Structure formats: C-alpha cells, structure tokens
Amino acid sequence: VSQSRYYIVNLNDTHLDMRENAKGIVQVIDYLKSIMNTNEQFVVFAESMGGIIARYALTYMENDAYTQDPSSNKPTQMHNTRLYISNDAPHQGATVPASVQAFYRNTEKSVYYKVLKGVDKLFPLISDRKYWNDALSYTSVQQLLAFHIDANGPHPNRIQFMNDLIGLS
C-alpha cells in the first residue's frame, strides 16, 4: 500500500515576476526530492497563474540551465514529475477587456466614478480603483495579460516572459 502525501505551495507575493515565483517552486521540488525516495514521482496540480508558474518551473528543470546549477538537487529524473495538471491557467494569456483596464486606469476622470463611490459598501473589491489600477502595474499581471492597455498589445514583460519560456523548451 502506498502512502500519498500532499504539499500545498502558497505563493506569498503574486505581484512578483512569475520567474521569481517559479524559482520558489523549483526550490520546493528540490527539497522534496532530497528527503524522499528517488523513485517517488510527483503529481503537480496548479491553478490559474500558478499553472503558468508551475509550467515555467518544470520546463526550467528540464533544461540545461537547471542541470548546470550547482545549487540544484539533480536526480535521474530532473523534477520527478509524472503528471502536471493545470486548472484554468491562461497559457495563451489572460484576458481583461481593454475597456475594463481603461476604466480602472481612468476612473477618477470618468462619469462612472460617482457611481462607483456609491457602490463602495456593496462591492468593495469591484469599486477599489486603487487596487485594480495598481494590479495593472504588477509585473506578473503584465506577463499574464494577452493585451495590456499600457502597451496597446502584449506588454514587453509578457513578450520577454514568453520568449524565456519558449527558450527553455
């Protein structure tokens, strides 16, 4: 009878560059490999942005950059993962309509600002202009959105992230 163990990784700062969070996933997998039987295999399940981060981490671990890293714990199977499951991860880029992005970028200039001020108590997250406006500036959001209003297309951070991911393949 085999015994299953579950490990949940909670990313503390999802505002960071997704490559930084992927390094954290690599460290977790390296640690688990160091304390487990070398024949043990992992099932990696990740949701939403975590799916992209896990994909990056696993792809990195299959690359020469990982196998040449002196700090990595290199078994015969680089990440010991037999199954990777991604749930609701926007692999082709997340979509937040440009009109919604513009709305949050320019709310105070908008006629709708007074309407939002009126619904603050009912829908605080929706009406929190600062939260959403700041979120559009997060590196991870810039890397995730297929269209970013500040770039009028894919943000340069997305282009660089995707080029890095493709380069690891």
Side-chain angles (χ1 to χ4, degrees):
V1 176
S2 71
Q3 182 180 13
S4 297
R5 290 177 271 187
Y6 299 89
Y7 300 92
I8 298 172
V9 178
N10 184 7
L11 301 172
N12 290 331
D13 193 350
T14 57
H15 307 145
L16 293 176
D17 185 314
M18 290 194 290
R19 291 169 288 214
E20 290 301 313
N21 278 317
K23 287 179 187 175
I25 300 297
V26 169
Q27 290 172 346
V28 168
I29 292 172
D30 275 342
Y31 171 74
L32 293 174
K33 289 186 306 188
S34 73
I35 63 169
M36 295 179 172
N37 177 339
T38 57
N39 295 329
E40 198 160 352
Q41 294 182 335
F42 304 125
V43 173
V44 175
F45 178 86
E47 294 184 314
S48 193
M49 184 181 1
I52 308 298
I53 292 168
R55 175 182 167 201
Y56 190 95
L58 295 174
T59 304
Y60 169 78
M61 294 179 87
E62 294 172 350
N63 190 280
D64 289 340
Y66 171 73
T67 57
Q68 294 170 7
D69 180 353
S71 67
S72 65
N73 177 17
K74 302 171 216 53
T76 55
Q77 295 176 326
M78 295 169 195
H79 46 61
N80 289 37
T81 300
R82 69 175 168 85
L83 182 61
Y84 160 65
I85 303 168
S86 166
N87 181 39
D88 199 26
H91 291 284
Q92 300 300 316
T95 303
V96 174
S99 58
V100 173
Q101 293 180 47
F103 180 74
Y104 284 110
R105 274 284 194 247
N106 303 304
T107 302
E108 289 177 0
K109 300 174 192 168
S110 168
V111 69
Y112 299 109
Y113 183 65
K114 290 180 182 175
V115 173
L116 279 182
K117 292 306 279 180
V119 297
D120 273 352
K121 301 222 179 338
L122 294 174
F123 306 102
L125 187 60
I126 293 172
S127 61
D128 189 348
R129 185 195 69 79
K130 181 173 177 2
Y131 170 83
W132 290 105
N133 190 39
D134 288 351
L136 288 171
S137 300
Y138 298 150
T139 303
S140 59
V141 171
Q142 293 170 349
Q143 291 170 324
L144 205 56
L145 288 176
F147 177 91
H148 195 284
I149 192 163
D150 294 344
N152 200 23
H155 195 279
N157 283 337
R158 175 164 178 75
I159 294 167
Q160 184 61 54
F161 176 80
M162 292 307 296
N163 286 342
D164 288 353
L165 179 59
I166 291 165
L168 290 175
S169 299

